[in-house]
Amino acid sequence: MISTLHRMGLRSGMMYAAGLASIGLAAASWFVSRNYEAAGQDRADRWGIFVGEWAPTFFGIGIALRIEEMREMKQSEMADWQETQQQAMRTPSRAGV
């Protein structure tokens, strides 16, 4: 699933930003519900908690995407290194000349 999200263009930074935004949205939803609804403090707390629970999910997906990005970068570096090694082996040696 994470590799599919990565291929779709989703990056870890986007998920970290979404996690931070959800923290701000949780505080805002709590504040608005507490001050502008007649339902009381309990309902405001539930709104804040509901939206606040999104942040760990976004941060977790961000971490998984970062691992995927690092794996992709490592594979690219390994391919470059192997190509360099193969070219070095094909180059004739001048030893003893």
Side-chain angles (χ1 to χ4, degrees):
M1 179 180 109
I2 297 300
S3 60
T4 302
L5 291 174
H6 182 70
R7 276 186 262 125
M8 289 171 55
L10 201 60
R11 298 293 177 251
S12 61
M14 295 174 185
M15 287 290 98
Y16 297 144
L20 289 173
S22 72
I23 292 170
L25 186 61
S29 68
W30 175 81
F31 180 77
V32 168
S33 180
R34 184 176 64 104
N35 291 329
Y36 297 107
E37 284 186 337
Q41 181 75 30
D42 292 341
R43 184 169 178 166
D45 290 346
R46 284 196 276 310
W47 269 112
I49 290 170
F50 172 70
V51 177
E53 288 178 350
W54 301 347
T57 303
F58 289 136
F59 287 130
I61 293 171
I63 290 168
L65 284 168
R66 181 64 182 146
I67 291 169
E68 183 70 20
E69 292 164 3
M70 290 173 64
R71 185 184 64 78
E72 185 180 78
M73 187 173 26
K74 178 103 173 162
Q75 285 178 345
S76 173
E77 289 174 0
M78 183 61 85
D80 291 344
W81 179 81
Q82 287 176 344
E83 183 178 323
T84 302
Q85 292 299 315
Q86 288 175 353
Q87 287 176 355
M89 292 176 71
R90 283 186 240 141
T91 304
S93 171
R94 303 252 181 221
V97 178

